[in-house]
């Protein structure tokens, strides 16, 4: 508990927003002019990178530190407004634009040479965003030459075929995940030269080679549906690594383990007992729990009763007896063994770890369970804490859901496909990039009460459907927010597409092929024919027109490829 309290205090000390507020109060307050001048005098040059992600408070701090020399040589700042994608953290791209405009023309330098991507990628990015990322859009120019065949851009429309039935969003995304996994499998097994690399035989030149799993990244707007893509990759023998993901303490196996430890540590906790009995630890049906709970003293007494309800079949009675014996053994052992050993004993007695392997994403679930075992081992390393302390911490984490990544089944530095959010990929590059679900609808803001720095407190009108009502501050704010959200959405797509070095795939699972849905697909449809890939928008004279491949047939994986790895068939072993 003391260690946990210390961790919370340390996190509180690192509250960045609080630090900014304190710094602003010190440096911006006119009462502290002397302090501000002394600090500014100590700074000869101030460099600020990623300036497109700053907010108004941060710019006030920068100006305070630079003093009167903010636009005359003391400040050197670097940024790209096209990559400002952190509005949810308060970033304001207008801050960058205003300070850039205040900087004399002699102090402005445009950086348009791209060292990452082949020309085909940049030609597509320029054609797509020329008219939608602001009037001051500056086209990217390649440093590399084109060493791989074109087209290097692909639209992958995972549709349902002719006369499709009505489908759920989940069904369409599951089909898209299947097509993506098959397309990756096809890339890895097909032998097409998709990736450019330096040619050791001819210094300064590039050569094309075939793709490896580590060349591929799948970049998501959010990881909320990532398990669908994980499942498809696993079924087609594509090894992957999920970068990040913050729902570790929301996984069912964590709930199951917490219920087990509570039931072992607290015999009177009937709710946790019911939870663990119906979990894969004991797999008792709800009907069995119902009859056990008919005991006059409740479920716990019914489980450990000498005579079980007659309504239970012999098989169910056997399961109940086995569960009672296991819990007795664990309760007897809880004060004699370490927490990690208690968990290991529970898995040995119940076969819970083996049962996880037979489930959807079983390897990931088992890895999560092993991660908790390692956490328990570290928790009790100094011998000052017991099972009750560990339960208190684990319960707190499950309730509070801190950001904790899921356990990895493969190392990040192995030759595997990487799955991550676009925000996580910012600043990175990958030879082959898949951007799935480009037709995903944006989530509208639902706040009915807001406070705006310029408009003040705002409340949504209750007459939502009344077209004759007067337009108030809330409606103005919502309109401006929608415009800003749309602009940032385009910038997010820009970041995603420009992570690709050699080959880019934009995909969507829909009922019909190339049906424009969502902001991103509608943007694509304004610039390209989604079924032919032809550019339909105007470009400045001399700008190259990108070449695009459109896939509307399900990819077919090559059978018998040498890269396939044998998988453990758990069902055959039982």
């Amino acid at each position: 508990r003391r260690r946990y309290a210390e961790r919370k205090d340390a996190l509180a000390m690192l509250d960045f927003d609080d630090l900014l507020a304190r710094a602003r109060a010190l440096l911006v307050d006119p009462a502290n002019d002397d302090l501000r001048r002394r600090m500014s005098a100590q700074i000869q040059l101030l460099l600020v990178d990623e300036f497109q992600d700053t907010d108004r408070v941060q710019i006030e701090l920068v100006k305070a530190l630079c003093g009167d020399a903010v636009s005359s040589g003391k400040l050197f700042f670097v940024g790209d407004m096209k990559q400002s994608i952190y509005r949810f953290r308060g970033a304001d791209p207008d801050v960058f634009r205003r300070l850039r405009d205040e900087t004399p023309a002699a102090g402005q330098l445009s950086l348009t040479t791209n060292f990452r991507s082949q020309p085909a990628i940049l030609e597509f990015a320029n054609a797509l965003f020329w008219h939608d990322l602001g009037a001051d859009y500056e086209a990217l120019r390649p440093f590399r030459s084109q060493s791989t065949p074109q087209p290097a851009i692909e639209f992958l429309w995972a549709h349902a075929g002719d006369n499709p039935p009505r489908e759920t969003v989940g069904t369409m995304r599951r089909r898209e995940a299947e097509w993506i996994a098959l397309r990756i499998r096809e890339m890895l097994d097909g032998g097409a030269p998709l990736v450019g690399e330096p040619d050791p035989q001819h210094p300064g030149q590039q050569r094309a080679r075939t793709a490896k799993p580590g060349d591929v990244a799948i970049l998501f707007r959010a990881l909320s549906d990532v398990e669908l893509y994980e499942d498809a990759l696993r079924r087609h023998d594509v090894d992957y690594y999920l970068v990040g993901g913050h729902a570790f303490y929301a996984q069912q196996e964590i709930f199951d383990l917490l219920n087990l430890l509570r039931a072992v540590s607290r015999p009177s906790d009937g709710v946790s007992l019911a939870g663990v009995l119906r979990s894969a630890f004991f797999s008792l049906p709800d009907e069995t729990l119902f009859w056990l709970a008919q005991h006059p003293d409740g479920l716990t007494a019914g489980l450990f009763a000498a005579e079980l309800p007659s309504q239970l079949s012999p098989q169910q009675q056997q399961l109940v007896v086995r569960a009672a014996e296991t819990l007795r053994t664990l309760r007897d052992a809880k004060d004699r063994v370490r927490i990690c050993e208690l968990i290991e004993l529970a898995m040995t007695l119940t076969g819970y770890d083996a049962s996880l392997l037979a489930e959807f994403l079983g390897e990931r679930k088992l890895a999560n369970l092993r991660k908790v075992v390692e956490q328990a081992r570290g928790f009790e390393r100094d011998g000052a804490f017991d099972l009750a302390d560990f339960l208190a911490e684990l319960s707190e984490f499950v309730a509070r859901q801190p950001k904790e990544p899921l356990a990895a089944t493969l190392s990040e530095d192995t030759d595997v496909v990487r799955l991550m959010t676009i925000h996580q990929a910012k600043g990175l590059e990958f030879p082959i990039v898949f951007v799935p679900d480009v037709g995903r609808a944006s989530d509208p803001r639902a706040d009915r009460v807001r406070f705006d720095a310029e408009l003040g407190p705002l409340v949504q009108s209750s007459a939502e459907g009344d077209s004759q009502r007067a337009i108030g501050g809330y409606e103005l704010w919502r309109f401006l927010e929608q415009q800003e959200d749309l602009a940032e959405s385009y910038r997010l797509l820009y970041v995603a597409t420009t992570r690709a070095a050699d080959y880019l795939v934009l995909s969507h699972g829909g009922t019909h092929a190339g049906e424009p849905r969502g902001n991103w697909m509608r943007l694509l449809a304004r610039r390209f024919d989604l079924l032919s890939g032809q550019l339909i928008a105007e470009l400045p004279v001399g700008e190259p027109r990108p070449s695009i491949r459109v896939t509307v047939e399900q990819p077919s994986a090559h059978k018998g490829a040498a890269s396939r790895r044998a998988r453990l068939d758990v069902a055959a072993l039982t």
Side-chain angles (χ1 to χ4, degrees):
R1 290 171 182 165
R2 169 176 45 78
R3 185 185 301 168
Y4 175 60
E6 290 172 352
R7 284 202 297 270
K8 289 200 299 184
D9 291 343
L11 291 174
M13 291 173 63
L14 295 175
D15 188 324
F16 190 64
D17 291 335
D18 180 62
L19 288 175
L20 278 179
R22 292 172 183 268
R24 181 180 182 275
L26 281 173
L27 295 177
V28 180
D29 190 338
N32 296 318
D33 283 344
D34 289 341
L35 172 63
R36 183 167 60 251
R37 281 194 295 268
R38 288 199 305 272
M39 294 190 67
S40 179
Q42 295 173 12
I43 299 175
Q44 291 183 325
L45 295 172
L46 180 63
L47 167 64
V48 184
D49 197 8
E50 301 290 349
F51 205 83
Q52 76 277 351
D53 297 327
T54 52
D55 57 31
R56 298 182 182 184
V57 173
Q58 292 167 329
I59 193 61
E60 287 182 358
L61 291 174
V62 169
K63 288 184 173 181
L65 292 173
C66 292
D68 297 334
V70 66
S71 60
S72 60
K74 178 175 283 191
L75 175 64
F76 183 86
F77 62 101
V78 182
D80 181 2
M81 266 191 1
K82 300 187 296 298
Q83 298 190 55
S84 180
I85 56 174
Y86 290 101
R87 286 191 72 233
F88 63 92
R89 294 182 183 171
D92 184 356
D94 282 338
V95 166
F96 176 89
R97 181 186 293 110
R98 286 194 294 268
L99 189 60
R100 182 197 60 188
D101 294 342
E102 294 173 9
T103 303
Q108 298 185 29
L109 177 64
S110 295
L111 302 176
T112 58
T113 301
N114 182 292
F115 292 85
R116 172 188 300 124
S117 304
Q118 293 195 67
I121 302 293
L122 302 184
E123 291 167 8
F124 171 75
N126 290 334
L128 179 59
F129 296 107
W130 202 293
H131 299 291
D132 290 276
L133 284 186
D136 53 355
Y137 178 83
E138 294 178 303
L140 297 171
R141 302 305 180 192
F143 178 82
R144 299 173 59 190
S145 59
Q146 186 70 36
S147 60
T148 58
Q150 296 196 58
I153 310 296
E154 181 175 348
F155 295 162
L156 181 67
W157 307 139
H159 63 101
D162 298 330
N163 302 317
R166 187 176 182 86
E167 295 182 309
T168 65
V169 173
T171 299
M172 291 186 285
R173 287 189 181 138
R174 189 172 290 106
R175 180 172 59 248
E176 181 199 20
E178 178 77 6
W179 283 39
I180 287 177
L182 285 169
R183 184 69 181 102
I184 293 175
R185 186 76 264 167
E186 188 177 62
M187 287 178 171
L188 299 179
D189 297 342
L194 300 177
V195 178
E197 65 178 7
D199 188 345
Q201 304 298 324
H202 302 87
Q205 298 184 25
Q206 297 270 312
R207 68 177 183 182
R209 64 165 174 82
T210 57
K212 301 180 296 185
D215 295 326
V216 183
I218 307 178
L219 307 184
F220 299 87
R221 273 191 264 192
L223 296 178
S224 52
D225 300 299
V226 71
E227 67 275 2
L228 301 178
Y229 301 85
E230 289 185 89
D231 179 50
L233 292 173
R234 284 172 52 81
R235 284 187 288 100
H236 293 287
D237 295 311
V238 178
D239 287 333
Y240 66 89
Y241 179 87
L242 176 62
V243 180
H246 303 306
F248 176 73
Y249 292 106
Q251 303 306 302
Q252 185 60 50
E253 56 271 19
I254 306 301
F255 296 153
D256 290 348
L257 181 60
L258 179 60
N259 282 331
L260 174 70
L261 295 179
R262 283 173 172 170
V264 169
S265 178
R266 309 166 185 170
S268 61
D269 189 344
V271 174
S272 295
L273 177 62
V276 73
L277 289 177
R278 67 193 304 272
S279 75
F281 273 107
F282 300 109
S283 302
L284 296 186
D286 290 341
E287 182 180 358
T288 299
L289 298 185
F290 171 80
W291 290 116
L292 293 177
Q294 301 310 303
H295 191 283
D297 295 324
L299 176 62
T300 302
L303 176 67
F304 293 100
E307 184 176 348
L308 296 177
S310 59
Q311 292 87 349
L312 299 182
S313 66
Q315 181 183 13
Q316 287 303 310
Q317 290 191 15
Q318 185 178 4
L319 290 176
V320 170
V321 170
R322 179 63 177 164
E325 291 175 349
T326 300
L327 287 172
R328 285 194 189 98
T329 301
L330 295 174
R331 286 173 178 175
D332 290 341
K334 69 179 178 65
D335 296 322
R336 295 184 289 102
V337 301
R338 301 169 64 195
I339 303 170
C340 58
E341 294 171 345
L342 182 68
I343 299 173
E344 295 281 6
L345 177 60
M347 289 192 287
T348 300
L349 294 174
T350 63
Y352 181 75
D353 49 351
S355 67
L356 286 183
L357 283 175
E359 294 184 6
F360 175 57
L361 295 179
E363 290 183 14
R364 165 65 55 74
K365 294 181 178 183
L366 182 58
N368 286 336
L369 195 62
R370 294 297 180 188
K371 182 173 178 176
V372 177
V373 173
E374 290 305 312
Q375 288 179 339
R377 183 172 285 110
F379 182 84
E380 58 188 351
R381 185 163 291 139
D382 58 8
F385 304 100
D386 58 13
L387 178 59
D389 297 320
F390 182 72
L391 270 175
E393 181 174 82
L394 186 59
S395 299
E396 172 70 14
F397 288 161
V398 168
R400 187 164 52 86
Q401 291 295 313
K403 290 185 177 181
E404 177 72 23
L406 299 172
T409 55
L410 291 169
S411 172
E412 185 177 7
D413 58 1
T414 54
D415 185 24
V416 295
V417 174
R418 282 157 179 79
L419 284 66
M420 65 181 72
T421 66
I422 298 171
H423 287 88
Q424 291 170 324
K426 188 171 180 288
L428 303 178
E429 62 180 81
F430 309 92
I432 301 172
V433 167
F434 282 75
V435 183
D437 208 6
V438 293
R440 191 185 190 106
S442 301
D443 295 328
R445 294 175 179 265
D447 300 333
R448 297 180 62 89
V449 179
R450 296 287 299 184
F451 180 84
D452 184 80
E454 296 181 0
L455 298 175
L458 306 170
V459 180
Q460 183 180 11
S461 170
S462 58
E464 181 67 25
D466 184 4
S467 61
Q468 302 300 318
R469 73 183 191 280
I471 297 178
Y474 180 88
E475 285 73 20
L476 291 174
W477 167 82
R478 186 166 64 174
F479 174 78
L480 294 175
E481 281 294 296
Q482 290 172 344
Q483 299 305 305
E484 291 294 338
D485 285 346
L486 179 62
E488 184 175 63
S489 172
Y490 292 160
R491 296 194 296 269
L492 189 65
L493 179 59
Y494 173 86
V495 169
T497 57
T498 54
R499 297 313 92 196
D502 302 293
Y503 200 90
L504 173 67
V505 181
L506 304 178
S507 73
H508 176 63
T511 303
H512 303 283
E515 180 182 9
R517 301 172 62 89
N519 295 332
W520 288 3
M521 282 196 76
R522 284 194 287 268
L523 172 61
L524 288 169
R526 289 200 302 270
R527 310 296 293 168
F528 302 94
D529 184 311
L530 298 185
L531 292 179
S532 69
Q534 294 296 313
L535 180 71
I536 58 176
E538 294 296 327
L539 287 178
V541 176
E543 286 297 322
R545 304 171 70 86
S547 175
I548 298 175
R549 165 181 172 170
V550 180
T551 299
V552 294
E553 299 292 335
Q554 178 174 304
S556 57
H558 292 245
K559 297 183 181 298
S563 60
R564 300 297 181 88
R565 185 181 76 246
R567 297 282 182 172
L568 176 64
D569 187 351
V570 177
L573 300 177
T574 57

